[in-house]
């Protein structure tokens, strides 16, 4: 029998402002800024904590279908329906487009549905309706290589945390794994009966998730290239998959809603009233999803208060508040403090007295540190 998970999710903000469908979302490496690309030909930036709009980039000629933040520099790129990759400087708000080696802005001959940076920020990859993947050198602002092999639209790409593997998902119903260091022939994964619409790499580059038009999600071992298991539960095409960085949850989204899965057991945890696109914050405690048409939703993970988990004392000796023995080792005290933070931090716990409890916990730990210094 499944037990209720200790965490749940609440919609904290609904973001309104776009005048047409939102196609793509991305969260910056610090977890502070949300970027959205829309059919209204704009890219907007939002404060992820407050849900307030920060800035809107105008001037695009067509819809935006993909966005990605550079992991090292204040850059945001968008892949557009006019076959162009546009780069936005977040500090100066300056705009420029990538060029191919021949000097044209239209290196792709089809719509650009996905963009992804390598971890060092030196290389950008883009997947397109022209069936190809292009590799771009960021410092030089040129395309350096084209990866060919797919026989239909490349819907999605993902790059492993070590920057060695690029996974691509295609309407030809296959996934291809490309080695970015050797450029050898890709390994091809088959098994989906419909378009493969989305890929994501998680678990420190060990697992690949793929979503498909066939309404399933498949989990693959990237070392052995073997299928681990298939998740079924969607009633429509799965257009987005995303891993939480704490390695525990996979999110999947389509027009029929958003589902959160327990990766260790392959079990469904939650159904959320969102839709494609989706993105996790770096700490895995915030999830952004599409809403109704032009809206977006920001969901927060929190720990509900239960009768079986009584609140700690708000006054008394530090060890009583932290729930440890007076002679506990410093490591035991630190572990107890961390457990209490996860349970009572106001960002996670929405109970009325969470702030008071957290203040008492912090003061107790400060008293412990003061006595330890002696």
């Amino acid at each position: 029998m499944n037990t209720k998970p200790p965490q749940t999710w609440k919609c904290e903000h609904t973001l309104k402002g776009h005048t047409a469908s939102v196609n793509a979302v991305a969260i910056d490496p610090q977890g502070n800024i949300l970027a959205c690309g829309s059919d209204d030909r704009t890219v907007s930036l939002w404060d992820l904590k407050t849900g307030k709009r920060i800035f809107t980039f105008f001037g695009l000629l067509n819809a935006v279908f993909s966005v990605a933040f550079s992991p090292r520099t204040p850059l945001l790129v968008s892949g557009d329906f006019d076959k162009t990759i546009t780069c936005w400087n977040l500090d100066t708000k300056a705009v420029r487009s990538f060029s191919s080696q021949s000097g044209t802005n239209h290196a792709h001959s089809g719509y650009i549905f996905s963009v992804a940076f390598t971890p060092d920020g030196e290389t950008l990859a883009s997947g397109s309706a022209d069936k190809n993947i292009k590799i771009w050198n960021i410092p030089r602002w040129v395309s350096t290589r084209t990866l060919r092999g797919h026989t239909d639209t490349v819907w999605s790409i993902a790059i492993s945390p070590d920057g060695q593997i690029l996974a691509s998902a295609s309407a030809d119903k296959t996934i291809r794994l490309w080695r970015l260091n050797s450029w050898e022939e890709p390994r091809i994964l088959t098994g989906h009966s419909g378009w493969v619409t989305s890929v994501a790499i998680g678990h420190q580059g060990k697992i690949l998730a793929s979503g498909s038009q066939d309404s399933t999600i498949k989990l693959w071992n990237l070392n052995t290239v073997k299928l681990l298991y298939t998740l079924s539960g969607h009633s429509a095409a799965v257009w987005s998959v995303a891993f939480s960085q704490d390695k525990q949850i996979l999110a999947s989204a389509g027009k029929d809603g958003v589902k959160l899965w327990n990766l260790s057991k392959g079990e469904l945890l939650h159904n959320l009233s969102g839709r494609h696109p989706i993105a996790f914050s770096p700490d895995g405690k915030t999830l952004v999803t599409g809403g109704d048409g032009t809206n977006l939703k920001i969901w927060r993970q929190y720990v509900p208060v239960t009768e079986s988990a009584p609140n700690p004392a708000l006054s008394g000796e530090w060890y009583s508040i932290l729930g440890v023995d007076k002679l506990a080792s410093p490591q035991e005290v630190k572990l107890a403090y961390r457990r209490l933070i996860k349970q009572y931090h106001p960002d996670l716990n929405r109970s009325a007295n969470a702030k008071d409890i957290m203040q008492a916990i912090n003061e107790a730990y400060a008293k412990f540190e003061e006595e330890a210094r002696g």
Side-chain angles (χ1 to χ4, degrees):
M1 179 181 298
N2 294 337
T3 59
K4 186 177 180 180
Q7 292 86 25
T8 188
W9 295 78
K10 280 189 176 181
C11 181
E12 193 167 89
H13 301 289
T14 298
L15 310 184
K16 300 179 181 180
H18 284 287
T19 59
S21 294
V22 176
N23 299 317
V25 293
I27 297 174
D28 78 316
Q30 290 73 41
N32 298 323
I33 300 174
L34 167 69
C36 308
S38 170
D39 277 346
D40 65 12
R41 298 180 292 179
T42 69
V43 174
S44 59
L45 303 180
W46 306 76
D47 186 306
L48 192 63
K49 294 182 180 179
T50 66
K52 302 297 184 181
R53 178 137 54 170
I54 300 171
F55 191 81
T56 299
F57 293 102
F58 295 96
L60 292 167
L61 300 178
N62 217 315
V64 180
F65 213 85
S66 53
V67 288
F69 284 96
S70 167
R72 296 293 180 89
T73 55
L75 297 178
L76 174 74
V77 299
S78 65
D80 310 332
F81 268 26
D82 63 1
K83 309 168 189 177
T84 300
I85 296 175
T86 304
C87 181
W88 319 83
N89 186 302
L90 300 179
D91 288 340
T92 67
K93 305 301 186 292
V95 181
R96 70 180 295 178
S97 296
F98 284 93
S99 302
S100 71
Q101 291 176 319
S102 61
T104 174
N105 288 339
H106 302 285
H108 278 294
S109 60
Y111 304 149
I112 300 170
F113 288 118
S114 187
V115 286
F117 279 96
T118 53
D120 61 8
E122 296 290 311
T123 302
L124 178 77
S126 56
S128 169
D130 64 12
K131 311 174 189 178
N132 298 327
I133 301 150
K134 286 196 175 287
I135 306 299
W136 305 83
N137 180 285
I138 299 301
R140 294 167 50 206
W141 297 83
V142 295
S143 60
T144 58
R145 186 178 297 268
T146 300
L147 306 181
R148 298 180 174 87
H150 283 295
T151 60
D152 209 328
T153 296
V154 177
W155 286 113
S156 176
I157 56 176
I159 296 176
S160 61
D162 62 4
Q164 299 300 306
I165 296 176
L166 182 148
S168 56
S170 172
D172 65 12
K173 305 178 184 180
T174 71
I175 302 157
R176 292 176 184 250
L177 302 179
W178 312 79
R179 290 208 165 272
L180 298 182
N181 56 348
S182 62
W183 306 111
E184 61 194 48
E185 285 297 310
R187 302 183 77 171
I188 302 174
L189 307 183
T190 60
H192 283 293
S193 60
W195 297 351
V196 187
T197 53
S198 182
V199 284
I201 297 175
H203 274 240
Q204 298 179 332
K206 296 178 181 179
I207 296 179
L208 172 77
S210 58
S212 171
Q213 186 190 34
D214 64 15
S215 76
T216 69
I217 303 110
K218 293 184 182 294
L219 279 297
W220 311 80
N221 184 313
L222 272 182
N223 291 327
T224 64
V225 201
K226 300 294 184 182
L227 178 65
L228 297 172
Y229 48 83
T230 300
L231 302 176
S232 300
H234 281 280
S235 59
V238 178
W239 281 99
S240 298
V241 289
F243 284 98
S244 68
Q245 293 303 308
D246 61 7
K247 312 173 188 176
Q248 301 301 314
I249 298 175
L250 175 76
S252 58
K255 290 184 178 180
D256 63 339
V258 175
K259 297 182 183 295
L260 302 182
W261 307 84
N262 181 317
L263 286 177
S264 62
K265 298 180 180 179
E267 295 175 346
L268 179 64
L269 291 175
H270 301 287
N271 287 294
L272 304 181
S273 59
R275 54 174 293 177
H276 162 84
I278 55 177
F280 271 110
S281 62
D283 64 5
K285 300 184 186 305
T286 300
L287 176 69
V288 175
T289 74
D292 299 323
T294 62
N295 298 337
L296 285 162
K297 294 183 177 183
I298 297 178
W299 303 81
R300 308 282 192 205
Q301 186 186 72
Y302 78 102
V303 180
V305 175
T306 64
E307 294 181 0
S308 59
N311 294 338
L314 297 183
S315 62
E317 299 293 344
W318 65 263
Y319 46 86
S320 298
I321 296 174
L322 297 180
V324 297
D325 186 85
K326 182 178 181 179
L327 301 178
S329 69
Q331 183 62 26
E332 290 173 325
V333 176
K334 289 178 181 179
L335 290 175
Y337 176 62
R338 290 172 183 170
R339 285 194 297 268
L340 290 169
I341 287 177
K342 291 180 180 179
Q343 185 172 355
Y344 292 103
H345 195 287
D347 286 347
L348 305 176
N349 189 317
R350 301 304 181 194
S351 64
N353 60 345
K355 290 184 179 179
D356 292 336
I357 294 174
M358 197 65 243
Q359 181 178 351
I361 292 168
N362 285 331
E363 290 175 354
Y365 189 70
K367 183 63 176 178
F368 155 72
E369 289 186 316
E370 180 182 341
E371 290 188 6
R373 288 193 298 267

